[in-house]
Amino acid sequence: MPVILRYQGFKLFFYSNEGNPLEPAHIHVRSPDGEAKFWLVPDVQLARNDGFDARTLKNLATVVATNKELLERAWNDYFG
């Protein structure tokens, strides 16, 4: 579970085994309050949410979009 970024108590990461066939690039965001998954391509989009309220999701979507290039590069480097 490579953690790519930490932000205000949130971990942004992906799982080492993302399925076969491999899913498109995405990032998981976890805190003690819940976990969400965001697609990175073609645009940042919420894939699922378990526990975060709308305000938190909006903030997280902004963080993911702001760091999209870093997150995609980490994904591509890892899964190559």
Side-chain angles (χ1 to χ4, degrees):
M1 178 173 83
V3 175
I4 309 307
L5 184 67
R6 294 177 192 270
Y7 171 79
Q8 296 184 355
F10 295 94
K11 290 181 188 177
L12 285 76
F13 67 96
F14 49 80
Y15 292 101
S16 295
N17 178 4
E18 286 287 0
N20 190 9
L22 188 65
E23 291 185 327
H26 63 275
I27 197 77
H28 297 267
V29 183
R30 182 186 293 163
S31 80
D33 297 326
E35 184 174 335
K37 176 180 175 179
F38 290 89
W39 299 116
L40 298 175
V41 291
D43 298 310
V44 173
Q45 182 179 353
L46 180 65
R48 75 173 169 78
N49 172 42
D50 183 23
F52 296 131
D53 60 32
R55 184 178 189 169
T56 301
L57 287 172
K58 184 177 180 182
N59 185 31
L60 292 174
T62 300
V63 171
V64 171
T66 300
N67 292 282
K68 181 181 179 196
E69 185 177 311
L70 167 73
L71 300 170
E72 279 187 271
R73 189 170 52 247
W75 175 277
N76 291 328
D77 287 350
Y78 192 84
F79 292 107

